Amino acid sequence: MMLYINKIKNYYYYIVLLLGIILSILWVVFIKTKPISDFNYYNQLATDIANGGFWGDTRQAIGYPITLGFVYWIFGAGIIKAKIFNLILTGISYLLFYYILRKLEIKEIVRKIIFTIFVLFPNNIFYNSILAKEILMTTILLMVTAIYLSKVKYKYIYMGILTGFITIIHASFLVYVLGIFLVELICTRKLKKAVTVSLIILLFTFLTISPLVLRNSKLMGQFTYVSTNSGVVLYINNNSQNNTGGWMSSASVKNSVVNLQVYKDGNRATRCKIFKAAASKWITSHPIRFIQLGIMRLRNTYFAGEDISWVFPGTNFKYEQEHALQKFTQNIRKIVFIPGVIYILFLSVTKIVDLIKNKGNRDSINYKFQVYILMLFYMFSVTQFVTEGQSRYFFPLIFIMVFCFVQLLYNIFSKVQVILGFGKNTI
């Protein structure tokens, strides 16, 4: 009996990983989701790219359709192939997260709990049936994180290339370079090194995104970033008619700029500038309402559960089933994310105190990882605060929230042990 128990212990991570993949495969097989909205656009664009067609009109960052188009070019277009690609990416994400956890100096039982919750987190399973960019983005983000925590040669070059790749998937990710600068400055206390590292990453990020920027600029007849979506997103989420912090039609904004002749005559790049100018003017004249909408967006991003609704098209779920699944995923999210956010706020305070008092073992891998995940959390949060709050945008942060959730519970448990006289950190 003990022999079997020891074998299970030795292969624990593989068993959990296999269980997560099996559950994901079963979900994809039996939950036959059909892509709608942005997901249908991604699928159609990927199909066009695979067939040598048009690479989009700059409306959105097309990193995911380009990647999916490459898959379609090799294996042929088809929704099931996109979902198989999701499954492969999910498996890679599990392996990358395991690698990251092995780098950290934490107790084995804590590492196992973190890994298990991450693998079995509902969103990591049901997103496999959605043709969304979040799984690809998360996989590359975990890859960048793993490289950053490693001692691999030329790692900042690799990080720059991957940062560029994520940027053409999600345009606002370029700010990650500034985030790395801050992490390096805090952990090394060496301005020269922080500048050098961030400049290397920035250079190779620019080199990676430059072909798409040149293509978009040529298409629009003026300098154009990886997408022109940022203007309308800022506009529709920051106006006096927005009462939810979420999406609304640009035409529904009072005295909408879409009715202006200059807007009608302009291309997407010009319209993006018009949207940004109007949104910026509104924000500066309505600062309190802007903050209120920003808080709504953060609440939608971290605690709402409507992202599972993207699974329902094509499944013939009954209303009761849809409602039950939505409540289940929303409750799991709150159970993990609320304590996770509490731990992040606690960790933020401790790191600020460390900076003020010049304390903390900044050379340790744990310290670096803590500062790094704080950077990612605030980077994503600021982006959503300003632009758009959707619950699917939190997906790349699942690994951070699960890690913080377990760390908080472990710290509480350890303190209780000491208070009750059972010793310190015995689990």
Side-chain angles (χ1 to χ4, degrees):
M1 183 65 179
M2 288 302 298
L3 180 62
Y4 287 113
I5 293 175
N6 288 332
K7 284 186 176 180
I8 291 174
K9 289 181 179 179
N10 292 335
Y11 294 101
Y12 178 82
Y13 293 100
Y14 300 105
I15 293 171
V16 172
L17 189 151
L18 183 61
L19 176 60
I21 293 297
I22 290 173
L23 289 174
S24 297
I25 291 173
L26 291 174
W27 179 272
V28 168
V29 169
F30 292 104
I31 309 300
K32 301 184 184 301
T33 304
K34 292 182 179 179
I36 61 171
S37 188
D38 286 349
F39 313 129
N40 187 47
Y41 171 76
Y42 295 150
N43 181 56
Q44 292 177 345
L45 185 56
T47 302
D48 290 341
I49 292 172
N51 293 327
F54 190 50
W55 283 44
D57 56 4
T58 78
R59 178 167 67 92
Q60 293 190 10
I62 59 172
Y64 175 61
I66 289 174
T67 308
L68 187 59
F70 182 70
V71 173
Y72 283 176
W73 179 68
I74 296 175
F75 300 102
I79 293 174
I80 187 60
K81 293 164 188 174
K83 294 179 180 180
I84 292 173
F85 182 52
N86 281 345
L87 293 169
I88 294 172
L89 291 174
T90 296
I92 294 173
S93 293
Y94 293 162
L95 292 172
L96 289 168
F97 189 54
Y98 172 71
Y99 173 83
I100 292 168
L101 290 176
R102 297 303 303 180
K103 300 288 290 184
L104 302 178
E105 298 170 353
I106 56 179
K107 287 185 174 291
E108 185 63 18
I109 184 63
V110 175
R111 185 180 289 113
K112 287 179 177 178
I113 293 172
I114 293 171
F115 184 74
T116 302
I117 295 176
F118 176 74
V119 170
L120 301 181
F121 201 79
N123 300 69
N124 277 335
I125 294 172
F126 75 70
Y127 264 63
N128 285 286
S129 66
I130 306 174
L131 272 60
K133 63 184 179 183
E134 277 70 31
I135 289 184
L136 177 62
M137 180 178 174
T138 302
T139 304
I140 307 303
L141 177 58
L142 286 168
M143 191 177 298
V144 173
T145 303
I147 292 173
Y148 185 56
L149 297 177
S150 72
K151 296 181 179 180
V152 64
K153 197 174 183 181
Y154 307 122
K155 70 177 184 179
Y156 299 120
I157 294 176
Y158 301 142
M159 288 179 65
I161 295 170
L162 292 174
T163 300
F165 186 24
I166 300 179
T167 301
I168 66 173
I169 296 172
H170 192 78
S172 64
F173 194 78
L174 185 62
V175 75
Y176 175 82
V177 180
L178 173 60
I180 289 295
F181 168 78
L182 295 175
V183 173
E184 284 290 312
L185 186 61
I186 292 171
C187 293
T188 67
R189 288 157 288 184
K190 297 176 181 177
L191 178 60
K192 183 177 179 181
K193 182 180 179 182
V195 170
T196 301
V197 165
S198 56
L199 284 178
I200 292 172
I201 295 174
L202 182 63
L203 172 63
F204 283 89
T205 297
F206 281 154
L207 289 175
T208 304
I209 69 174
S210 59
L212 184 59
V213 172
L214 289 172
R215 177 262 180 186
N216 288 349
S217 299
K218 184 178 180 180
L219 186 66
M220 293 292 106
Q222 58 182 294
F223 176 80
T224 305
Y225 188 48
V226 296
S227 75
T228 55
N229 195 42
S230 57
V232 65
V233 168
L234 192 66
Y235 182 69
I236 65 175
N237 285 280
N238 294 285
N239 60 78
S240 298
Q241 282 65 56
N242 194 312
N243 297 313
T244 64
W247 185 92
M248 64 176 291
S249 171
S250 57
S252 298
V253 179
K254 186 178 180 180
N255 299 321
S256 178
V257 296
V258 301
N259 297 317
L260 299 176
Q261 193 61 42
V262 64
Y263 174 90
K264 295 177 181 179
D265 294 339
N267 58 24
R268 288 193 176 275
T270 300
R271 291 176 178 181
C272 181
K273 293 177 182 178
I274 294 172
F275 279 132
K276 284 184 177 180
S280 298
K281 182 179 179 180
W282 184 88
I283 291 171
T284 54
S285 59
H286 299 80
I288 295 177
R289 185 55 182 167
F290 168 67
I291 293 173
Q292 291 173 338
L293 287 172
I295 293 172
M296 291 181 192
R297 285 190 280 268
L298 291 182
R299 183 187 61 199
N300 293 340
T301 300
Y302 291 109
F303 305 121
E306 77 272 7
D307 51 339
I308 196 173
S309 63
W310 297 112
V311 169
F312 301 147
T315 60
N316 295 319
F317 275 133
K318 295 180 180 178
Y319 171 79
E320 293 78 11
Q321 294 172 316
E322 293 181 358
H323 180 72
L325 278 172
Q326 188 158 355
K327 290 299 294 183
F328 172 74
T329 56
Q330 187 177 52
N331 289 335
I332 294 295
R333 185 196 304 252
K334 289 180 178 178
I335 289 171
V336 173
F337 273 42
I338 291 176
V341 170
I342 291 172
Y343 183 78
I344 284 173
L345 296 176
F346 167 78
L347 198 61
S348 302
V349 173
T350 61
K351 291 296 174 282
I352 292 173
V353 172
D354 286 346
L355 286 173
I356 294 174
K357 296 184 176 181
N358 197 26
K359 295 174 60 178
N361 184 11
R362 302 187 193 183
D363 295 326
S364 72
I365 190 71
N366 282 14
Y367 192 97
K368 187 175 187 178
F369 182 71
Q370 288 171 352
V371 176
Y372 179 82
I373 62 176
L374 286 177
M375 177 273 290
L376 283 181
F377 174 79
Y378 287 114
M379 184 186 83
F380 273 82
S381 297
V382 169
T383 301
Q384 306 315 317
F385 184 92
V386 175
T387 57
E388 183 176 4
Q390 285 195 37
S391 56
R392 71 183 178 96
Y393 293 157
F394 92 102
F395 189 89
L397 298 187
I398 291 177
F399 80 98
I400 293 176
M401 305 309 294
V402 169
F403 177 85
C404 292
F405 165 71
V406 176
Q407 285 294 315
L408 178 65
L409 295 187
Y410 172 68
N411 287 343
I412 293 174
F413 186 81
S414 298
K415 297 296 183 183
V416 171
Q417 280 187 310
V418 174
I419 293 173
L420 296 179
F422 293 121
K424 184 178 180 180
N425 299 344
T426 59
I427 67 169

